[in-house]
Amino acid sequence: MTPDEMKVRDYILKIYDGDVTKCMHCGKCSASCPAYGEMDIKPHQFPSYVAHGEIAALMDSKTIWECLGCSACVERCPRGVKPGKLIDGVRQAVIRQRGGSHLYPEQIPAMVDPETPQQLLVSVLRRERK
Amino acid sequence: MQRIGVFVCHCGTNIAATVDVSKVAEAAKHEPGVVYAVDYTFMCSEAGQNLIAQAIKDYGLTAIVVCSCSPRMHEATFRKVAEENGVNPYMVEIANIREQCSWVHKNMDEGTPKAITLMKTAVAKVNLDAPLQEGEAPVTKRALVIGGGIAGIQTALDIADCGYKVDIVEKEQTIGGRMAQLDKTFPTLDCSSCILTPRMTEVAQHPNIRLFTYSEVQEVSGFVGNFDVKILKKSRSVREKDCTGCGVCMTKCPSKKIPNEFNRGLNFRTAINIPFAQAIPNVPVIDKEHCIHFKTGKCGICAKVCPSHAVDYEIQDEVIEEKYGAIVVATGFDQIDLHKFGELGYGVSKDVISSLEYERIMSATGPTGGHIVRPSDGKEPKDIVFIQCVGSRCEPDDRRGKTYCSKICCMYTAKQSIMTCDHIPGAKCHVFYIDVRTPGKMFDEFYRRAVEQYGVDYIKGNVGKVTPLPNGKLRVHGVDLLDQKEVELDTDMVVLAGAIEPNPSIRPLATKLTLSIDNNNFLNEAHAKLHPVEAATAGVFMAGTVQGPKDIPETVAQAGAAAVKAVALLAKDKLKTNPCVAQPDELYCNGCSVCANVCPYGAITYIEKEVRDHGVRETRRLAQVNPSLCKGCGACTVACPSGAMNLKGFTNRQIMAEVDSVCQ
Amino acid sequence: MGEITQYSYFPGCTLKTKAKDLDRYARSCAEKLGAELVEPENWQCCGGVYPMGSDEIGNKLSSVRALNDAREHGRELVTVCSACYHVIKRVNDDMANVPDIQKRANNYAEFDEPYTGETKVLHYLELLRDRIGFDKVKEAVTKPLAGKKIGAFYGCLLLRPSNILQFDDPENPSIMEDFISALGATPVRYQMRNECCGGYRRMENPELAQKLVGKIFTDARNAGCEELITACPLCWYNLNSYEGPDKLPVRYMTEVLAEALGILDEKPEAAELDGVSCGCMQDAGKEA
């Protein structure tokens, strides 16, 4: 881990406020994840990636943008690891530390239709922008 | 003035790494009454004991302080050394400088001063110690075994074979327990009933064993060697001596829609019922909650059809009082309720079942006569998914599981998959696992047999959702962590290896027997390593899954161990009693009854006694302690408003001397 | 109907715009059932997603203000939108149990009295079940939905994480089924009713949302559902915009309630594009 990565890891762990060492690699999170197929690094891999300091890989992963935030993994994890919250932590680290917003308002008009609920716009901007 | 010797133990580095033991010994030399002080590597070793013995002779010691581990470990050892060398064993005090000092501190700066304080406290106390004499109590030559599963059966047989009387109390209407519900046993594939029922019969026929089924322990008093137990024998509404077990009543009983507990609710039973053909005793019980006669006063068919006129609705519950020298607790386990695992379809689809339910389906005595069929439509499944660790190995805060590994699931899942393939030619079994844990004789070989000979598909991964399909199949959605891919299996049945837990009846029973239980309701042993079958309460032993998850051979082995411990107790004619009991001072006692009200053991009574006070003769009401009932808990000594009650070996003066010593 | 009880009512951004039916019928039905829903002045959007980062305060303040307002009026706080319920209830839990968030949010908000999670947050379904009572709802039904086989779609926001939301059994919930029964219809349980509809990924990965919704519809149809109801505007949108086999009609739960109570409008207002009152949207526009 580079000093930079270490800094980011600490930051992620602070936001996450959980314990990755509790993970027993049972796969319940990945088995419960509706977006599993969309993800490159799978939910059950997140705790060990963080534990092993492979932070850069996580920050570059597709997973952090594909997570639905549905908390199925958090609910069903028998070890209280809260993988969804960890994924959230990495995404926030990317958005805040790198200053990289994922979605820009100018992209939005092409994505909405007359029925698009405000809730959808609000949620997506909250999750993907600084 | 006492002549005190202080012996400071290093316990290897256990103490010496965090406590400067030579400083403790040096400090001891300046304490009042101390004539000799020394430190040594292992005070409990033979050489250490000899050191104490020699010092007693050389310095004429009258009292001893050992600074070492917890008194639970070696108080008895050092008392024995004292006694053998002419010092009253109750003139020995232990300063616990290991568990309460070296193990909880990190460095000598903290450890050494604290150890010195603890040493001084013990010296202050031993200065006021008085020699005490142990009393004697007779031993009732009869044991009580609570629970009639394989653990209780084996314990009872072993005790009875040694020539002692044993009573078994079983809350269900038959003995046999969980083992009677199982189909085959791993890894030998013996038929569970076939090896169990001969033992059950042996119990029934053994001249030294009495059986109280459909009974519960109601009340326990007394102490080791002399327990007084009240047993509630619930009314079966059937006279055992008249019933022949013909079963006509069961065929005629019109109340037929009661979920059958023995078959884990997979089919129904009648209100008058015998759970299985080999039940012991083979006598039915009328379930009063569901019996039409008990509910409405009508019906009465069973009484009419019984050829031996054994049915009697008037039989009342009975309380039996008996004395026992030893008690063995063997109340066993149950499987956790799996209804919280809705994502796995339990309680949603009839074809998602627990592993214990599956045992009943596989068993020849089960609801399907041993034919493996789906509960929903009675069709033979060709594809079955097993999911392991359901509710085991969870974190403490998990809302639906247990923290421990249930230990038996890996092996019985392998067994169930093998048996499935044996029963149904061409059947395919899949097992979702986290780890396969197979430590045990021929265990891993057995698991490999499932994989290699039976082609059981072991998938390292887990299941997120089980969804019923319109064609009657179940869609199992999971992941294979090794292949890193989603798995979707359309299967016929899903079997959940749910965690096991101690039978819930242990909680009230533990209260009655003053036993300690852990966070998971398993019984705590007196010492996890060295007293694995003894409870902390003297005279109470444990066998089987009430102590922790274990399989049948381990249970049987532990039952034998518990039996030996019980027999070792019963074999004694007399037991030494603890002399550290409460003693009232007649001069201070005003007969107020506060002590009797707080005494948990009913050891305090009152007498009217004539006393002479300043030349006046008067009759006073005075507390009196029965030393054989008193456990020395000390509740009365703190409750007594006039300070009349003292605990021998822990007198009020001694406690105050200790406190003063700490506060100096 | 007896006494009228007042509840603070947090409609949320979508109920003021795209999900007007969810809002309108929530109010009219509550009125008919003896509950008055009082909208606090100057409420702000809850943010749509709970800010999971343990260091976030700003995004929680709108919830804290709504909660404090309800406390000041001595009322319980009712929401209909699943997202508002989810966010506000979780923030409320933070305010009650996380000292750091409690302290910092109060420093910022400067209420007369520090807010420490006193307000009880109720979902509209809980209002019906625990305050009004499903038996009373049943009594008030004038047009029972007899014969209709309705499936509840819970989605994720109402149920998880269950230790904080404590709404229902997260893996096998029953409150909406009991609600459907109270309306005289037949509830149909299906396994996928607590799965994610694709949520906000609808925006950038509509194919995923399509796939997930397809699974939900297929399971619902297999189980025998004829229509689905939901309390979440996003679920409603994702389910309704599905184009594929097994699609079922999807309605808001309050609309179905209004139908059973006999107060459904003949011509429901069309959803309006303009008149967006939600501050967050305007902010988002500005930022761009």
Side-chain angles (χ1 to χ4, degrees), chain C residues 35 58 65 78 122 141 206 216 221 286:
Chain C
R65 290 200 182 96
V78 173
L122 294 174
V141 167
I216 292 161
R221 193 175 276 275
K286 268 182 231 158

Side-chain angles (χ1 to χ4, degrees), chain A residues 1-129:
Chain A
M1 244 191 307
T2 63
D4 231 27
E5 269 186 302
M6 267 157 86
K7 224 175 96 187
V8 180
R9 182 171 78 160
D10 289 348
Y11 184 73
I12 291 167
L13 288 174
K14 185 178 157 236
I15 303 174
Y16 162 57
D17 195 25
D19 184 354
V20 293
T21 64
K22 281 183 171 181
C23 177
M24 65 169 168
H25 311 107
C26 72
K28 188 80 178 179
C29 49
S30 285
S32 299
C33 181
Y36 179 88
E38 314 291 313
M39 295 171 167
D40 43 9
I41 299 174
K42 308 300 187 187
H44 73 272
Q45 296 176 290
F46 265 68
S48 58
Y49 266 65
V50 171
H52 295 136
E54 294 176 52
I55 304 300
L58 291 180
M59 292 178 83
D60 290 335
S61 75
K62 211 178 151 215
T63 302
I64 58 174
W65 309 111
E66 290 296 345
C67 168
L68 295 153
C70 75
S71 287
C73 55
V74 175
E75 184 64 48
R76 292 179 194 153
C77 174
R79 305 287 319 155
V81 176
K82 302 186 180 76
K85 205 175 171 193
L86 191 56
I87 295 171
D88 210 69
V90 177
R91 188 181 57 244
Q92 298 216 18
V94 172
I95 291 170
R96 294 191 204 170
Q97 300 261 309
R98 287 193 187 162
S101 293
H102 187 69
L103 189 68
Y104 297 90
E106 55 269 28
Q107 294 173 271
I108 288 176
M111 294 176 171
V112 298
D113 60 50
E115 295 292 325
T116 306
Q118 276 64 28
Q119 184 191 348
L120 174 50
L121 295 167
V122 167
S123 311
V124 83
L125 290 167
R126 261 290 162 79
R127 286 178 71 101
E128 302 193 355
R129 285 182 61 78

Side-chain angles (χ1 to χ4, degrees), chain B residues 303-320:
Chain B
K304 282 178 212 131
V305 300
C306 177
S308 44
H309 307 290
V311 175
D312 180 354
Y313 303 117
E314 304 303 319
I315 301 174
Q316 298 297 310
D317 292 353
E318 199 184 333
V319 175
I320 294 154

